[in-house]
């Protein structure tokens, strides 16, 4: 079964053709990152317009690279939540209209379910159930993936997502946008012990965490140094920050492994590309005797291949959009987007 998938929830316009949920026939990504870097972050209005301009070209490229005609497609899928709503609407509406014109089913996909499904493309043997750490720009969650379309959130951030914390810290350190890869590179050259940063604890919720205190600590450190006319060791602060994020996420994942008895660990989202997090997850998996799945770097960030992988399982579960299918800025990972109203 061949699915054309579209992703436009943030600043990447992407289209892919995926066979049987597991095989990438094409995976085209048109990034607007250079445009948004001028502003130090994603400008929603510019992102939406960028998707409008790119979506036909990107979709045609995906079909061409897959050597697949529109008529050979079995379904069309698109991210319908969560994301910048103006941006999501471009891909969702385009996908819906294309499906309608071809007389094929339209499959609405939850973006974070897609991030998890990126692992199905890299690990042919991977099947639910497994324990998932989601760490992206907008979400940081511990999720029990019980089935391909069955998710339970067991922990998560009370405020900023991990990627958001990376982006904000990079901004304070003047490291540029997007912050995650910049901090990752800067941290390679720094001593993580030089600065002491706080750890968060959420009372009576051991699987929950928070990044706002960490972010404030970095801001205060930089401002105090500036006021005193002292320099900051940017590499050391980046390394200390990155270590603090890893030390927040990994112990909670360890606790979740022990509480759930999970044997397979899966990481998903843009922050899964972080070198320190990947190394710490490998150590954790070895210590807890778990199988670990880390998406290849090319599938950590936003792409449409992951949406096509998840769409296959949504279609098998009968989750087909109706003509009135809407898109949403927010939606829980456990929600069925076909049933959601409003
Ligand atoms: O999953 P994603 O592509 O988009 C969302 O769905 O939000 O995640 C983007 C986030 C950004 O915050 C970016 O800074 C972060 O992932 N990121 C990283 C790295 N590469 C991307 N964070 C830490 N280390 C990295 N190497
Ligand atoms: Zn994403």
């Amino acid at each position: 079964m061949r699915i054309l998938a579209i992703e436009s929830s943030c600043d990447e316009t992407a289209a892919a053709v995926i066979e049987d949920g597991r095989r990438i026939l094409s995976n085209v990504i048109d990034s607007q990152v250079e445009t948004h870097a001028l502003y130090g972050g994603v400008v929603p209005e510019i992102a939406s317009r960028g998707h409008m301009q790119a979506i036909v070209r990107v979709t045609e490229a995906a079909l061409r690279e897959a050597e697949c005609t529109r008529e050979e497609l079995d379904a069309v899928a698109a991210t319908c939540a969560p994301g910048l709503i103006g941006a999501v609407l471009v891909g969702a509406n385009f996908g819906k209209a294309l499906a309608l014109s071809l007389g094929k089913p339209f499959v609405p996909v939850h973006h974070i379910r897609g991030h998890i499904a990126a692992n199905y493309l890299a690990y042919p043997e991977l099947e639910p159930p497994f324990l998932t750490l989601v760490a992206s720009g907008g979400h940081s969650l511990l999720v029990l993936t019980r089935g391909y379309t069955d998710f339970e959130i067991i922990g998560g951030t009370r405020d900023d997502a991990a990627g958001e914390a990376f982006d904000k810290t990079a901004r304070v350190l003047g490291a540029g946008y997007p912050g995650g890869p910049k901090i990752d590179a800067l941290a390679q050259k720094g001593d993580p012990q030089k600065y002491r940063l706080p750890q968060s604890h959420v009372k009576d919720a051991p699987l929950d965490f928070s990044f706002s205190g960490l972010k404030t600590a970095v801001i205060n450190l930089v401002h105090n140094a500036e006021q005193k006319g002292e320099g900051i060791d940017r590499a050391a602060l980046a390394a200390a920050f990155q270590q603090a994020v890893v030390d927040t996420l990994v112990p909670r994942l360890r606790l979740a492994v022990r509480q759930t008895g999970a044997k397979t660990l899966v990481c998903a989202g843009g922050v899964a590309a972080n070198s320190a997090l990947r190394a710490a997850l490998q150590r954790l998996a070895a210590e807890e005797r778990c199988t670990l799945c880390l998406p290849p770097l090319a599938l950590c960030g936003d792409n449409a291949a992951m949406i096509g992988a998840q769409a296959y399982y949504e279609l098998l579960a009968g989750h087909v959009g109706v003509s009135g299918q809407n898109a949403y800025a927010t939606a829980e990972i456990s929600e069925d987007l076909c049933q959601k109203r409003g």
Side-chain angles (χ1 to χ4, degrees):
M1 183 185 288
R2 288 181 172 191
I3 299 182
L4 169 72
I6 290 159
E7 157 60 38
S8 72
S9 65
C10 191
D11 59 348
E12 263 93 30
T13 318
V17 180
I18 301 301
E19 193 164 68
D20 296 336
R22 297 277 176 162
R23 205 159 84 83
I24 300 177
L25 301 186
S26 66
N27 185 22
V28 179
I29 306 176
D30 189 290
S31 177
Q32 305 172 10
V33 70
E34 282 171 24
T35 309
H36 298 289
L38 300 172
Y39 305 92
V42 179
V43 184
E45 169 78 15
I46 295 176
S48 307
R49 288 179 186 280
H51 293 313
M52 276 293 288
Q53 289 171 310
I55 197 139
V56 172
R57 170 170 45 81
V58 168
T59 302
E60 284 180 342
L63 288 168
R64 201 168 48 243
E65 281 182 28
E67 297 182 9
C68 179
T69 64
R70 287 175 213 174
E71 290 68 32
E72 285 168 332
L73 294 171
D74 296 289
V76 180
T79 299
C80 284
L84 301 170
I85 192 59
V88 178
L89 277 166
V90 175
N93 220 11
F94 179 82
K96 201 168 101 174
L98 183 57
L100 186 68
S101 73
L102 295 172
K104 304 280 163 78
F106 174 68
V107 186
V109 176
H110 190 288
H111 180 78
I112 300 299
R113 292 189 184 192
H115 271 299
I116 296 172
N119 289 281
Y120 300 139
L121 299 166
Y123 299 92
E125 311 296 321
L126 177 64
E127 283 179 7
F130 49 78
L131 178 62
T132 319
L133 170 65
V134 175
S136 75
H139 296 80
S140 290
L141 299 169
L142 288 170
V143 178
L144 265 183
T145 304
R146 289 214 210 91
Y148 288 105
T149 60
D150 183 3
F151 304 85
E152 186 193 349
I153 298 174
I154 58 170
T157 183
R158 292 292 177 101
D159 39 58
D160 293 356
E164 201 177 346
F166 269 96
D167 293 337
K168 287 178 179 167
T169 298
R171 193 186 289 213
V172 176
L173 292 181
Y177 172 85
K182 307 272 187 197
I183 295 277
D184 199 343
L186 197 57
Q188 312 274 342
K189 296 172 265 170
D191 170 12
Q193 307 296 334
K194 183 163 173 178
Y195 294 104
R196 284 187 69 81
L197 294 172
Q199 285 282 326
S200 74
H201 292 282
V202 180
K203 198 167 173 284
D204 300 328
L207 295 181
D208 286 349
F209 46 91
S210 150
F211 286 121
S212 70
L214 176 60
K215 178 188 69 187
T216 309
V218 174
I219 293 172
N220 288 345
L221 227 144
V222 171
H223 286 177
N224 288 344
E226 275 170 4
Q227 277 175 353
K228 289 186 199 153
E230 290 171 0
I232 275 279
D233 182 342
R234 291 166 65 252
L237 191 49
F241 164 79
Q242 181 170 274
Q243 195 56 51
V245 172
V246 171
D247 290 345
T248 299
L249 296 177
V250 174
R252 281 159 179 91
L253 190 57
R254 189 188 300 276
L255 183 60
V257 169
R258 293 184 181 171
Q259 281 185 359
T260 61
K263 288 277 160 270
T264 305
L265 290 181
V266 169
C267 191
V271 184
N274 184 264
S275 57
L277 180 61
R278 292 174 87 90
L281 291 175
Q282 264 149 1
R283 285 194 295 275
L284 171 76
E287 285 159 11
E288 300 295 326
R289 298 177 194 281
C290 290
T291 305
L292 174 66
C293 296
L294 290 172
L297 294 184
L299 294 178
C300 287
D302 289 346
N303 64 83
M306 66 186 198
I307 302 301
Q310 181 60 25
Y312 174 73
Y313 295 103
E314 299 288 349
L315 193 57
L316 291 188
H319 297 165
V320 173
V322 291
S323 60
Q325 178 67 49
N326 208 343
Y328 306 91
T330 56
E332 293 287 347
I333 192 170
S334 49
E335 279 182 277
D336 176 355
L337 296 181
C338 300
Q339 302 294 330
K340 194 171 163 70
R341 294 285 166 263

